[in-house]
Amino acid sequence: MNWSVAHIPDQAGRIALVTGASGGVGRETARVLAARGAHVVLACRNAERGRAVASWIGGSTEVLELDLASLDSVRRAAGRVRDRHGRLDLLVNNAAVMLPPHRHTHDGFEVHLGVNHLGHFALTGLLLDLMTGVAGSRVVTVSSLAHRVGLGSFSTDRARSASGAAAAPVTAYGRSKLANLLFARQLQHRLAAAGAATVSIAAHPGLSPTGLWHGDFPAALRPVVTAGLRWLAQPADAAALPSLRAATDPQVPGGAYLGPARRFESRGAPVPASSSRVSRDRAAQVRLWDLSEELTGVRYAFPAAPATAGPPAQVCPVTGRTGRTP
């Protein structure tokens, strides 16, 4: 099936929160959800930009100021959502930074890991009890093709050191996107073990020339990036389709990972995506989870899914069945 926005069912009565909704893929995700009838919370670092997007989108929206580089801001934002809403149907963890000029978050974390993973880990944990009893609720976490270059283990020292990001910024970005995928999969294991109504799904947008690509690329990579985007990239409305399918297609099970179908998963209709072996390693997922709880101080209130021995398990994105990876 060549899935498109025409396949999205009516979203009336649903409440969706989209991070990074002031531009790029997040803005398109919010726009389509609102057009399908959802009430959309646009979580943005720049509230003024968020209000301009809300006005452009129309429909039922509100703007939530959220700076994922600050755990204080994450806690304030989660508190506001809790004050305004008794439940949450969709949480789309979309916002990201890539090769920014600054190297640390307000809490002293390496900026890629701090914003792209730890901020979303904390936000999800602080809001999850608004979702776990809601039928059809979903947490969608946006990863990237770059998760494959996320080399190196996760540790407290690496999470707080910017030296690695300065020396190898692409690797640091890739490591944060690997963290997104490890988190999404471990979240699904724990939700399933707890018997929650909520499912966790991951997606990646392929390549799209959004504001995310305005980072400080190493000079040697800039011609490659420019040429690659010209041939492989798709516009933001197409790049949002994997996230939108993950959020709205009832046939997509928990644990799935979606991405574009064509040109090395860089563009095209959303389909089940491939991922690195380490991203499917249950023990690695648990280690990152424990570290994330330690670093953020946010602890999730459901039982842990145990790590399994032997080769890592993989959830089939089509059937939802668990099998062994090759």
Side-chain angles (χ1 to χ4, degrees):
M1 177 180 69
N2 195 25
W3 195 92
S4 72
V5 295
H7 293 96
I8 297 177
D10 183 18
Q11 299 295 299
R14 305 190 86 191
I15 301 172
L17 189 155
V18 181
T19 68
S22 63
V25 171
R27 179 177 60 193
E28 289 301 314
T29 302
R31 179 184 67 81
V32 173
L33 290 174
R36 288 293 184 271
H39 175 77
V40 183
V41 180
L42 285 72
C44 309
R45 183 174 59 85
N46 186 319
E48 184 176 349
R49 285 184 60 190
R51 285 189 287 271
V53 170
S55 177
W56 172 72
I57 287 176
S60 179
T61 61
E62 65 181 89
V63 176
L64 176 71
E65 188 171 349
L66 169 67
D67 182 357
L68 290 162
S70 164
L71 290 176
D72 283 346
S73 175
V74 171
R75 287 188 169 88
R76 285 195 299 271
R80 292 189 185 103
V81 173
R82 300 182 70 86
D83 289 343
R84 297 171 185 171
H85 304 286
R87 75 170 205 284
L88 191 61
D89 297 82
L90 298 174
L91 172 59
V92 183
N93 291 323
N94 163 83
V97 295
M98 183 168 65
L99 317 185
H102 50 289
R103 303 300 182 192
H104 283 100
T105 68
H106 297 291
D107 303 286
F109 302 128
E110 187 278 313
V111 67
H112 294 98
L113 189 69
V115 171
N116 300 353
H117 168 61
L118 293 174
H120 282 126
F121 179 92
L123 180 68
T124 304
L126 293 167
L127 293 176
L128 196 60
D129 67 325
L130 298 182
M131 306 184 72
T132 50
V134 179
S137 57
R138 295 183 171 201
V139 178
V140 177
T141 301
V142 181
S143 183
S144 168
L145 288 166
H147 84 272
R148 295 181 180 277
V149 300
L151 307 177
S153 61
F154 296 97
S155 67
T156 300
D157 289 344
R158 179 165 273 156
R160 294 193 176 278
S161 173
S163 59
V170 175
T171 300
Y173 173 71
R175 191 180 300 115
S176 73
K177 294 284 99 180
L178 172 60
N180 289 152
L181 198 44
L182 291 167
F183 163 63
R185 285 176 165 157
Q186 179 60 197
L187 178 60
Q188 173 58 26
H189 293 315
R190 298 187 182 218
L191 288 167
T198 309
V199 297
S200 170
I201 300 170
H204 79 82
L207 294 177
S208 184
T210 65
L212 191 63
W213 289 87
H214 295 163
D216 186 19
F217 279 92
L221 288 180
R222 288 171 196 159
V224 177
V225 170
T226 300
L229 286 176
R230 187 178 299 117
W231 182 61
L232 296 171
Q234 58 185 349
D237 60 343
L241 291 178
S243 296
L244 286 165
R245 185 174 187 184
T248 64
D249 185 349
Q251 300 304 311
V252 176
Y257 179 42
L258 303 181
R262 298 188 291 111
R263 293 193 185 177
F264 312 104
E265 298 187 17
S266 69
R267 61 186 302 163
V271 297
S274 62
S275 65
S276 67
R277 186 174 180 82
V278 68
S279 74
R280 303 189 300 271
D281 185 331
R282 187 81 67 86
Q285 296 166 16
V286 172
R287 287 194 298 270
L288 176 63
W289 188 284
D290 291 344
L291 176 65
S292 300
E293 286 194 335
E294 175 189 334
L295 293 174
T296 63
V298 174
R299 299 190 179 277
Y300 286 57
F302 48 67
T308 57
Q314 184 179 27
V315 178
C316 173
V318 177
T319 67
R321 296 173 182 165
T322 300
R324 291 293 174 190
T325 59

